[in-house]
Amino acid sequence: MARQFQIGGEFLAAAPHGNGHINESWCVTTRHAGRPVRFILQRINHHVFKHPPALMQNIERVTSRLAAQAVCAPDANWRVLTLVRAHHGRVWHADAEGSYWRAYRYIEDARSFDTVESEQQAFQAARAFGRFQKLLANLPAPRLHETIPDFHHTPKRFAALEQAIAADPVRRAILAKPEIEFALARRSITGVLLDAGLPERITHNDTKLNNVLLDDTTGEGICVIDLDTVMPGLAAYDFGDLVRTATSPSQEDERDLSKVAMQFPMFEALARGYLSEAGAFLTPAEKLSLAFAGKLITFETGLRFLTDHLAGDTYFKIHREGHNLDRCRTQFKLVESIEHQEEQMARLVESIEF
Ligand code: ADP
Ligand code: GN1
Ligand code: MG
């Protein structure tokens, strides 16, 4: 597959790369003028992303826009994902089985983290996503394609859970009773962001900590990656998913729930990092929505894991029996932890000047 793209040089190796739940990625190494050069090759999951060419058009527009702005800021250290074209000139290649592929140049001397290790990392990650939103705020028309319609429509996610409970196709509802009850008791929060009259922005929508690369030497957040879900959304979704993935020291599938907790200093670092960039365009109402968004997106992600567990694990890749239920449990534990600190979180966000 690597040979379908304009990566040149002599093919040396390819190995699976990353921990994503949806697509498949490989790191490809070739030799150019005696030196190794790396690329990321990805197969897009077309069961999840139904129109890969439209998705790739979004990514092409977004990366071009970011690259154009990088030219205007030559002293900035941030970098932009660069697509590598296939030999026929498009930025994707469809194989004989109907799968769509793409390639990016590898961003060297930087890496992503699955769990947060320091406040500095939280600050840097949030700052990079805030800058990403800021740089895309005035993307010229047309509107980006919705690569997954209603992606963060929490009431629809809630309805999907109710349907999975009713259908119970693999008879798992009985063993997930505590999680189902936890979810059903919180229906009233599902519509809060949608009903708040917040403006539509271009958002990333999958801002988990491992979707930003931090510089190996300086720790600076230098590149936002995983752009499949970049589309119209609410600014709060991106901040919320950062709270979900960068405030607890635990893995998303940790089985020891005593390790799962929203650490306030990490939240503060996220809020300061995000607002240091996004503060330039956010309205007061959007700023107010940030503290709540962490709880909502964590809850929503828990709903999605629980729904997939009940449906028989058809969406998220799993690596063990009950994996999605374990993931759901960490999300709900984190929701509880946030519930205990909600007021303090809101006060902190309010107090940050920008
Ligand atoms: P997934 O949808 O599987 O999460 P990602 O696009 O996030 O796919 O890529 C998986 C991992 O590969 C990332 O967490 C990151 O560590 C690495 N990665 C992706 N793209 C690049 C790139 N251009 N340069 C360096 N590393 C990358
Ligand atoms: C998926 O592709 P990946 O692993 O970055 C999912 C996100 C979830 C996340 C949970 C397209 O993200 O929405 O928040 O898993 N992506 C899609 O870890 O559904
Ligand atoms: Mg990813």
Side-chain angles (χ1 to χ4, degrees):
M1 185 50 59
R3 290 197 184 95
Q4 301 299 327
F5 290 87
Q6 300 177 20
I7 61 181
E10 174 198 354
F11 178 88
L12 292 180
H17 198 79
N19 296 326
H21 296 336
I22 309 291
N23 294 323
E24 283 171 279
S25 306
W26 288 264
C27 178
V28 173
T29 311
T30 61
R31 189 174 8 233
H32 283 256
R35 292 168 123 180
V37 181
R38 301 202 282 179
F39 300 87
I40 288 281
L41 180 66
Q42 294 182 315
R43 174 160 52 202
I44 301 166
N45 181 332
H46 59 270
H47 301 292
V48 167
F49 299 104
K50 311 274 189 221
H51 304 290
L55 175 158
M56 291 308 297
Q57 194 184 48
N58 276 2
I59 295 184
E60 220 181 332
R61 287 180 60 203
V62 163
T63 52
S64 305
R65 176 79 177 171
L66 295 172
Q69 304 200 56
V71 170
C72 304
D75 298 334
N77 296 327
W78 45 272
R79 297 166 68 184
V80 182
L81 277 182
T82 310
L83 285 161
V84 180
R85 287 181 187 275
H87 290 299
H88 51 49
R90 286 191 284 261
V91 290
W92 46 268
H93 176 82
D95 68 17
E97 285 143 32
S99 288
Y100 287 79
W101 297 74
R102 65 164 169 245
Y104 289 113
R105 298 173 69 118
Y106 196 96
I107 309 265
E108 299 288 353
D109 307 316
R111 56 173 285 220
S112 64
F113 293 81
D114 288 330
T115 53
V116 68
E117 293 167 3
S118 66
E119 289 157 46
Q120 169 72 357
Q121 279 183 347
F123 180 93
Q124 287 296 336
R127 179 168 170 252
F129 282 116
R131 181 176 54 216
F132 181 85
Q133 287 185 344
K134 185 174 82 177
L135 293 175
L136 292 174
N138 297 314
L139 183 77
R143 195 171 179 259
L144 290 176
H145 302 289
E146 290 187 44
T147 59
I148 302 181
D150 297 324
F151 191 60
H152 283 304
H153 194 297
T154 319
K156 289 193 181 172
R157 298 291 190 182
F158 192 88
L161 172 66
E162 289 181 308
Q163 278 164 20
I165 297 168
D168 198 15
V170 283
R171 302 249 173 273
R172 288 179 173 172
I174 183 95
L175 286 174
K177 199 156 171 274
E179 289 73 26
I180 290 174
E181 280 172 1
F182 183 96
L184 295 183
R186 285 163 179 78
R187 174 201 291 274
S188 63
I189 68 168
T190 57
V192 169
L193 282 187
L194 288 172
D195 295 342
L198 299 166
E200 180 178 289
R201 305 278 181 195
I202 293 173
T203 50
H204 183 284
N205 298 303
D206 187 7
T207 56
K208 55 188 200 189
L209 181 66
N210 70 13
N211 282 334
V212 57
L213 301 177
L214 307 186
D215 187 279
D216 286 340
T217 310
T218 64
E220 191 181 341
I222 52 137
C223 187
V224 164
I225 60 169
D226 207 345
L227 307 178
D228 298 317
T229 50
V230 178
M231 58 181 151
L234 302 182
Y237 297 154
D238 287 356
F239 185 74
D241 209 35
L242 278 162
V243 175
R244 179 180 84 79
T245 58
T247 60
S248 176
S250 52
Q251 297 278 351
E252 190 181 60
D253 59 358
E254 174 60 58
R255 278 188 273 209
D256 178 355
L257 294 181
S258 71
K259 294 185 179 156
V260 181
M262 206 300 289
Q263 306 174 98
F264 199 82
M266 295 298 177
F267 177 77
E268 177 161 1
L270 288 178
R272 292 195 186 282
Y274 176 71
L275 286 172
S276 71
E277 293 280 354
F281 67 86
L282 290 183
T283 65
E286 283 177 300
K287 189 183 162 198
L288 271 182
S289 71
L290 298 179
F292 171 77
K295 180 169 81 166
L296 188 71
I297 295 298
T298 308
F299 181 59
E300 180 189 274
T301 309
L303 294 178
R304 295 174 62 198
F305 286 141
L306 181 56
T307 304
D308 200 35
H309 174 70
L310 296 177
D313 307 309
T314 61
Y315 187 91
F316 297 104
K317 277 187 226 160
I318 56 160
H319 306 290
R320 62 178 187 245
E321 180 90 18
H323 208 164
N324 277 316
L325 185 59
D326 291 342
R327 291 169 176 154
C328 161
R329 287 180 173 145
T330 61
Q331 304 307 294
F332 287 175
K333 178 73 197 298
L334 189 57
V335 168
E336 254 172 12
S337 176
I338 295 174
E339 283 171 350
H340 294 132
Q341 304 177 71
E342 255 182 297
E343 282 162 27
Q344 206 188 340
M345 290 163 74
R347 274 201 302 274
L348 184 262
V349 174
E350 234 174 289
S351 74
I352 298 175
E353 303 278 339
F354 60 88

